[in-house]
Amino acid sequence: MKRSFTLFAAMSEAAILVIIMLVTGAQDKRHEMLLEEGWKFINEDGDFSEALLDDSSWQDVTVPHDWAIYGPFDSNNDAQVVAITQNFEQQASLKTGRTGGLPYVGTGWDRREFDVEDFGPDKSVEILFDGAMSDAKVYVNGKYAGGWPYGYNAFHFDITGLLNPDGKDNKLAVRLENLPESSRWYPGAGIYRNVHVITTDKVHVPVWGTQVICSEISEKSADVDIKVKVTGADRISTVIRTKDGRKVTSSSECEKTDDGFRQTMKVKNPSLWSPESPTLYEAVTSVYVGKKKTDEYVTTFGIRSIEIVPDKGFFLNGKPRKFQGVCNHHDLGPLGSAINTAALRHQLTL
């Protein structure tokens, strides 16, 4: 300890800084931020995309958010004159209450300001929406980032070129519209799932840029094939570990593909995934340009075999398996469609 103290005492502040940078240089190049608090909402339509718009009088909300769940309930909100062909109806008749009588039809705008820390010309930034109902139009600093019509799955846009040069005080605006007769159950309305801002190096694995396929599976071993999309990288390396961080295997050997790299590794004595033992692994992929590590991407996966045998049914890990489940819509009853982990867990328990 005395030597260490003497060494650092004799060094300049600049030299100490260099050592700290070398020690911490292996830390994640990827940063993800959730946009939860600080949103403004209005249940109206208009040209609300401009960066300098005054939204101070709008409603304060937290995302995830479902604006339609607040009502008021009215049978006219979801009145439809239709013939339900599945019920062999020949003539159209008035139907009400199919979506709960809630006023989900209409347009709403959400706005928020956000900063991107350490933004610069070597950075790439994407915004990821886990779900927004529906027909999303996304603007950053008054410029159109992109649109996504479907309300029930995730979508993302590269917003690097739309951000302010210093990464500060960026204005995000999202327009969402539910059309009449667009659903026969309650769909919710608004940004009903999380919103992520993901900052990476220019050379990085894009959103959903990996694929893990397990084959030749037994209790003794499993082959794990990893495909990684990345442009501009020289090589990748991957460590497979348990969820608690224990290293299982690794490889720095990679095969170049048209859109990235491919690796194959063998996991010995794998813990096979099943409902009774839902063991998961993580593939931690590092991306390199020369000797510089530019990204680290974590892919969670399970090792299990599935097979459908004629006249015998579905087999999981070589054993016959019956499916058990429910027809469960994505809303949480009186809580609406804005995701709530505790309520979702309660639903599944029931």
Side-chain angles (χ1 to χ4, degrees):
M1 293 296 292
K2 185 176 181 180
R3 278 187 190 174
S4 297
F5 178 79
T6 304
L7 172 64
F8 277 93
M11 296 173 67
S12 67
E13 290 183 5
I16 293 173
L17 179 61
V18 169
I19 288 179
I20 293 174
M21 290 174 66
L22 289 173
V23 171
T24 60
Q27 68 184 14
D28 289 351
K29 299 289 185 180
R30 175 179 292 264
H31 179 262
E32 184 171 321
M33 172 176 60
L34 280 181
L35 301 184
E36 298 175 294
E37 306 289 338
W39 287 87
K40 292 285 190 176
F41 170 74
I42 191 169
N43 190 191
E44 296 178 10
D45 198 9
D47 185 8
F48 300 141
S49 62
E50 293 301 318
L52 299 179
L53 180 79
D54 182 7
D55 55 19
S56 58
S57 62
W58 292 19
Q59 180 184 353
D60 294 319
V61 299
T62 300
V63 166
H65 174 237
D66 178 358
W67 56 260
I69 196 65
Y70 298 98
F73 292 93
D74 191 317
S75 61
N76 292 319
N77 284 332
D78 57 5
Q80 299 179 13
V81 179
V82 294
I84 303 176
T85 57
Q86 298 96 322
N87 294 347
F88 305 105
E89 293 183 359
Q90 300 296 321
Q91 291 185 325
S93 60
L94 179 65
K95 307 290 194 304
T96 61
R98 302 176 77 199
T99 58
L102 286 164
Y104 74 92
V105 174
T107 303
W109 281 80
D110 295 90
R111 289 174 54 89
R112 190 190 191 278
E113 186 175 289
F114 69 98
D115 296 339
V116 176
E117 299 297 332
D118 300 320
F119 181 66
D122 61 335
K123 298 295 183 181
S124 179
V125 182
E126 289 197 82
I127 189 165
L128 167 64
F129 292 80
D130 288 340
M133 190 63 68
S134 60
D135 195 18
K137 301 289 190 299
V138 179
Y139 302 84
V140 176
N141 293 322
K143 302 171 186 174
Y144 185 60
W148 189 259
Y150 192 52
Y152 284 108
N153 61 344
F155 56 94
H156 60 95
F157 306 113
D158 186 333
I159 59 172
T160 309
L162 306 180
L163 299 175
N164 292 326
D166 61 356
K168 306 293 185 182
D169 304 323
N170 299 289
K171 306 297 192 303
L172 171 63
V174 183
R175 181 187 185 273
L176 295 168
E177 180 180 14
N178 285 338
L179 296 175
E181 300 187 5
S182 59
S183 182
R184 61 186 179 88
W185 54 80
Y186 178 66
I191 306 174
Y192 67 88
R193 294 291 187 272
N194 288 327
V195 180
H196 315 251
V197 174
I198 304 167
T199 305
T200 61
D201 190 279
K202 284 289 185 184
V203 179
H204 66 280
V205 180
V207 176
W208 312 322
T210 63
Q211 181 186 43
V212 177
I213 298 177
C214 300
S215 60
E216 303 299 324
I217 299 169
S218 70
E219 293 182 353
K220 292 183 178 180
S221 68
D223 291 342
V224 179
D225 186 70
I226 301 173
K227 297 178 182 179
V228 180
K229 290 183 179 181
V230 61
T231 302
D234 294 324
R235 62 185 177 90
I236 64 171
S237 67
T238 299
V239 174
I240 295 179
R241 67 190 184 191
T242 60
K243 290 291 283 186
D244 60 4
R246 179 176 59 84
K247 179 180 175 181
V248 175
T249 187
S250 64
S251 177
S252 295
E253 296 182 5
C254 54
E255 172 191 346
K256 186 71 174 173
T257 63
D258 291 339
D259 57 358
F261 298 91
R262 178 178 178 177
Q263 293 180 300
T264 301
M265 287 173 274
K266 189 175 290 291
V267 174
K268 296 181 180 179
N269 304 314
S271 297
L272 302 185
W273 183 96
S274 71
E276 292 76 23
S277 180
T279 303
L280 295 175
Y281 293 88
E282 292 180 337
V284 184
T285 301
S286 298
V287 177
Y288 294 91
V289 176
K291 294 183 178 181
K292 179 186 176 184
K293 179 179 175 180
T294 62
D295 194 17
E296 184 175 279
Y297 193 98
V298 179
T299 308
T300 302
F301 68 99
I303 299 176
R304 83 287 183 274
S305 66
I306 59 174
E307 186 180 12
I308 298 176
V309 181
D311 300 323
K312 293 184 179 180
F314 177 81
F315 283 69
L316 175 67
N317 299 326
K319 299 176 182 179
R321 186 87 199 189
K322 300 297 183 184
F323 282 92
Q324 298 182 29
V326 296
C327 179
N328 191 21
H329 292 180
H330 87 127
D331 67 277
L332 295 165
L335 298 181
S337 63
I339 192 62
N340 179 298
T341 304
L344 184 61
R345 193 182 306 278
H346 178 66
Q347 260 192 345
L348 293 174
T349 301
L350 293 177

